[in-house]
């Protein structure tokens, strides 16, 4: 069970809160609000103090009139961090809920036990939307809801849909307090609509954005938050073009042609997002994407990095080859692996031409620098300039990159360079950390989780002092006070700039932004625009902690316009428009299939008078045999949701979805008829819904088959008979 009851109060709970934290705490105890403070200014501490003030409502179970609290996060890593922090700083029972714990398949009894035992529920946003929709807990059973990184609550994001449930609650007097936390109020680059975006966010959360009371107080806040020195590191795009690079690109182009022509047999194709065309079979797309990613690494970082980067597709293709369903697919992976091995040997042979002794390894400082692009050299030389002969305890450096494979590639090049450079060997201890894009539990996702946990723990305790990471560390993840942060890839959005810069929490921190020399002017203008937007937000918000009007009902209603009116079951579960498509795919995934196919819904797009509607055809295994037509909408996505919503309602009416709007399992089907058809089994103490075999249970009855049925296959020129056996129950 993911809960801990901490009886002793930690040192952190004895921290003296700052004046602005007390002011903001008193404000949110009276009404909903979004707390906006710079990174490192103590937003989470305000949330913890609020939880403690609401804790008297959580002492009893919900059945006995008690309440529960929710701490909602946008990512798994952030949720894990906040759960640990709450266990450490409070004596409340804390439950931790993420998809990796298989919470989607928990029984009602399991959820009831978790909610009964744990007073604070911490997890990702979608899980809380699901348990509210499925009526495991009501929105009025909560005393306080804390939403971290709440600027994500736009459109159909789970945080937004949670607030839709808040708005739909019947008893408004029992609604929980909602506290949003963020250091970035604008998502994306909507810098010309700052006021409009902020007012929309306030309407979504039914409360005002609040920060410190005056500019003087804001300066005090900045003393506790991040204010690093910013530096622009430029590099030239003009670099030596090796003939081998062109040769490798031609080989990959020929490989792409061969892959596209490879006949994989009857593999189900996928529709594109707009339903207008068919995608390539995903097996081929996977190969093409990995090869394109390798070309990107080679162009960005050079041939030396390419010698390392080529190993990633080789390993990935080898894993896929071993799991291939058919011999044809296995042969395709063998072919692609042979191409990658050929490229790898060509690169290594090129690198070894620089060495007089052919037996020497190709890892030397000259080879690394000569066969790296100016972008890679700028990073290597900057690390040498900043960290030469420096005490490793004084270095806490984060390097942010955009792609997962880039993080690995940059890490291995840095590692080789540090090992070969004597003045860096004792100073730097690098590591890397990447996000996970797998939502299905697998060996790979578990290994990534274990690696990431080890990497971030090593960085926190000082075993490593330079961490190359993807955007998994941009938002909220609390690492020790970093004094060096490098934005190695181009900054694409305002919140990326604020979040990466916010990791530099040390008082003498350096924030370095890498850019091509030709893009220097545009990057400087972009950063000035970001800084101006940040100042405009401060000017708009400072002083708003004073009494002010709450968002108007008209503005709130504008943010929660229903595409389709939510459907409510008799038990109180809700089907929202945003949940219809995921629920339909979940139902189809549980339909019986063989090893050669999957059950998926099929949408056909039709256009009438510039409006779109789709025809939904369910798999043959489904109880829905007719075609479902959507209503007409302006976008394909809306039409798909409309058809999926109607399908889910039909499935519920036909008994394929239960009262919690979840697919009915085989066990539930058997249990439903067991009282009528198998009542006489009770005298044998036999439960017909339990498994009859397995390591934990023995089979109750031996299976025997007629000898005549063994090897009973049709033979050429031999008469065959077909028998019909009918069985009728005599009870």
């Amino acid at each position: 069970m993911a809960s801990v009851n901490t009886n002793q109060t930690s040192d952190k709970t004895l921290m003296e809160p700052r004046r602005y934290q007390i002011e903001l705490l008193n404000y949110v105890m009276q009404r909903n609000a979004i707390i906006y403070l710079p990174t490192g200014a103590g937003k989470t501490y305000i949330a913890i103090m609020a939880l403690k003030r609401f804790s008297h409502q959580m002492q009893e179970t919900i059945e006995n009139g008690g309440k529960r609290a929710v701490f909602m996060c946008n990512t798994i890593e952030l949720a894990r961090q906040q759960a640990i922090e709450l266990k450490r700083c409070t004596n409340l029972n804390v439950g931790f809920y993420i998809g990796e714990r298989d919470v989607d398949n928990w029984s009602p009894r399991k959820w009831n036990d978790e909610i009964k035992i744990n007073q604070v529920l911490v997890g990702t946003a979608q899980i809380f939307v699901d348990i509210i929709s499925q009526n495991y807990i009501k929105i009025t059973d909560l005393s306080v809801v804390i939403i971290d990184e709440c600027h994500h609550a736009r459109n159909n994001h789970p945080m937004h849909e949670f607030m839709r449930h808040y708005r739909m609650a019947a008893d408004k007097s029992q609604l929980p307090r909602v506290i949003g936390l963020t250091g970035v109020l604008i998502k994306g680059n909507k810098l010309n609509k700052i006021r409009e975006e902020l007012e929309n966010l306030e309407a979504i959360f039914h409360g005002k954005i609040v920060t410190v009371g005056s500019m003087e107080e804001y300066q005090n806040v900045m003393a506790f938050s991040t204010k690093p020195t910013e530096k622009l590191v430029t590099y030239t795009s003009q670099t030596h073009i090796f003939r081998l690079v062109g040769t490798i690109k031609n080989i990959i182009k020929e490989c792409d042609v061969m892959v596209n022509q490879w006949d994989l047999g009857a593999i189900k194709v996928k529709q594109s997002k707009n339903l207008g065309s068919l995608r390539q079979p995903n097996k081929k797309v996977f190969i093409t994407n990995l090869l394109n990613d390798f070309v990107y690494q080679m162009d960005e970082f050079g041939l030396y990095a390419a010698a390392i980067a080529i190993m990633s597709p080789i390993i990935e293709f080898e894993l896929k080859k071993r799991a291939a369903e058919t011999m044809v697919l296995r042969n395709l992976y063998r072919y692609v692996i042979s191409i990658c091995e050929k490229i790898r040997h060509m690169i290594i042979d090129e690198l070894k031409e620089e060495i007089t002794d052919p037996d020497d390894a190709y890892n030397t400082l000259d080879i690394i620098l000569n066969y790296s692009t100016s972008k890679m050299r700028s990073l290597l030389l900057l690390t040498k300039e900043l960290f030469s002969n420096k005490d490793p305890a004084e270095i806490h450096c984060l390097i942010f990159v955009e792609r997962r494979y880039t993080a690995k590639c940059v890490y291995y090049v840095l590692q080789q360079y540090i090992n070969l450079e004597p003045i860096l060997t004792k100073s730097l201890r690098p590591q890397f950390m990447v996000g996970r894009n797998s939502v299905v539990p697998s060996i790979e996702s578990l290994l990534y989780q274990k690696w990431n946990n080890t990497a971030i723990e090593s960085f926190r305790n000082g075993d490593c002092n330079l961490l190359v990471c993807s955007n998994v560390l941009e938002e909220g993840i609390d690492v020790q006070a970093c004094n060096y942060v490098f934005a190695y890839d181009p900054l694409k959005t305002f919140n990326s700039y604020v979040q990466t810069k916010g990791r530099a929490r040390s008082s003498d921190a350096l924030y370095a932004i890498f850019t091509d020399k030709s893009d220097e002017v545009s990057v400087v203008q972009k950063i000035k625009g970001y800084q101006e937007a940040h100042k405009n937000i401060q000017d708009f918000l400072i002083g708003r902690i004073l009494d002010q009007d709450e968002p108007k009902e008209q503005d709130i209603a504008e943010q929660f316009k229903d595409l389709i009116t939510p459907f409510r079951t008799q038990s109180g579960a809700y089907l929202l428009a945003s949940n219809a498509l995921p629920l339909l795919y979940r139902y189809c995934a549980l339909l019986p299939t063989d090893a050669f196919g999957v059950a998926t819904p099929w949408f056909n797009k039709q256009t009438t008078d510039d409006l779109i509607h789709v025809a939904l055809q369910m798999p043959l295994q489904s109880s829905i045999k007719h075609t479902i037509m959507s209503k007409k909408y302006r976008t394909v996505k809306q039409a798909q949701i409309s058809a999926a919503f109607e399908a889910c309602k039909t499935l519920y009416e036909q008994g394929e979805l239960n009262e919690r709007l979840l697919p009915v399992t085989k066990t539930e089907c058997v249990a439903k008829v067991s009282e009528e058809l198998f009542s006489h089994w009770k005298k044998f103490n036999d439960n017909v819904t339990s498994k009859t075999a397995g390591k934990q249970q023995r089979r109750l009855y031996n299976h025997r088959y007629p000898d005549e049925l063994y090897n009973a296959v049709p033979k050429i020129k031999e008469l065959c008979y077909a028998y019909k056996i009918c069985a009728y129950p005599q009870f």
Side-chain angles (χ1 to χ4, degrees), residues 132-135 138 165 567-574 659:
I132 294 288
S133 298
Q134 294 157 15
N135 203 30
K138 294 181 174 62
H165 278 293
F567 172 72
R568 186 178 186 273
T569 67
Q570 294 180 354
S571 66
Y574 277 97
E659 281 298 318

Side-chain angles (χ1 to χ4, degrees), residues 421-485:
E421 185 61 79
I423 57 178
L424 293 177
T425 304
K426 294 183 179 180
S427 298
L428 291 177
R429 297 188 288 266
Q431 189 57 276
F432 77 89
M433 178 179 178
V434 295
R436 305 189 300 281
N437 59 2
S438 174
V439 295
V440 180
S442 63
I443 295 296
E444 290 82 359
S445 66
L446 293 175
L447 289 176
Y448 269 128
Q449 176 190 342
K450 187 174 181 180
W451 178 277
N452 284 351
N453 291 343
T454 303
I456 198 167
E457 194 59 38
S458 298
F459 190 76
R460 282 173 174 158
N461 61 31
D463 290 340
C464 91
N465 58 6
L466 186 150
L467 190 62
V468 186
C469 54
S470 58
N471 60 2
V472 68
L473 273 184
E474 275 187 14
E475 285 194 353
I477 301 295
D478 183 27
V479 291
Q480 58 184 315
C482 298
N483 50 5
Y484 299 95
V485 174

Side-chain angles (χ1 to χ4, degrees), residues 280-294:
Q280 300 177 54
N282 56 357
K283 313 290 184 183
K284 295 182 179 180
V285 171
F286 174 78
I287 294 172
T288 304
N289 288 345
L290 271 183
L291 292 177
N292 290 341
D293 192 84
F294 162 72

Side-chain angles (χ1 to χ4, degrees), residues 1 17 39 70 98-99 131 154 195 206 242 259 265 298 389 404-405 426 435 478 481 556 632-633 653 697:
M1 181 178 297
T39 302
V70 162
I98 56 175
I131 64 173
R154 311 296 174 106
R195 189 182 187 94
H206 298 64
F242 292 92
V259 168
M298 182 172 64
N389 295 319
R404 295 166 62 235
Y405 287 113
K426 294 183 179 180
D478 183 27
I556 295 174
K632 295 180 181 179
Y633 291 93
E653 292 163 0
Q697 295 172 312

Side-chain angles (χ1 to χ4, degrees), residues 98-99 101-107 111 126-127 130 134 136 586 662:
I98 56 175
R101 296 190 63 205
D102 198 30
V103 295
D104 290 337
N105 296 317
W106 281 4
S107 65
W111 271 117
Q126 185 61 56
I127 288 170
D130 290 342
Q134 294 157 15
Y136 288 120
R586 180 177 178 178
L662 293 172

Side-chain angles (χ1 to χ4, degrees), residues 362-499:
Y362 60 89
N363 294 316
T364 67
L365 283 174
D366 287 340
I367 288 178
I368 292 176
L369 294 174
N370 291 340
Y371 285 92
S372 292
T373 61
S374 57
K375 181 177 181 178
M376 177 60 76
R377 284 199 298 271
S378 67
L379 175 63
L380 300 177
L381 296 177
L382 183 63
T383 56
K384 183 178 179 180
E385 174 190 340
L386 295 175
F387 306 133
S388 295
N389 295 319
K390 199 164 186 176
D391 183 356
E394 298 177 0
I395 302 171
H396 308 293
C397 179
L398 288 176
I399 301 177
F400 284 103
V401 296
E402 186 178 355
R403 302 188 180 200
R404 295 166 62 235
Y405 287 113
T406 299
K408 299 178 186 178
C409 186
V410 170
Y411 159 72
Y412 283 114
V413 175
L414 272 171
Q415 187 182 49
Q416 292 292 347
Y417 181 75
I418 291 167
N419 290 339
L420 293 168
E421 185 61 79
I423 57 178
L424 293 177
T425 304
K426 294 183 179 180
S427 298
L428 291 177
R429 297 188 288 266
Q431 189 57 276
F432 77 89
M433 178 179 178
V434 295
R436 305 189 300 281
N437 59 2
S438 174
V439 295
V440 180
S442 63
I443 295 296
E444 290 82 359
S445 66
L446 293 175
L447 289 176
Y448 269 128
Q449 176 190 342
K450 187 174 181 180
W451 178 277
N452 284 351
N453 291 343
T454 303
I456 198 167
E457 194 59 38
S458 298
F459 190 76
R460 282 173 174 158
N461 61 31
D463 290 340
C464 91
N465 58 6
L466 186 150
L467 190 62
V468 186
C469 54
S470 58
N471 60 2
V472 68
L473 273 184
E474 275 187 14
E475 285 194 353
I477 301 295
D478 183 27
V479 291
Q480 58 184 315
C482 298
N483 50 5
Y484 299 95
V485 174
F486 300 163
Y488 194 44
D489 283 333
L491 294 169
K492 293 186 175 180
T493 62
F494 170 68
N495 44 305
S496 287
Y497 168 73
V498 175
Q499 295 283 16

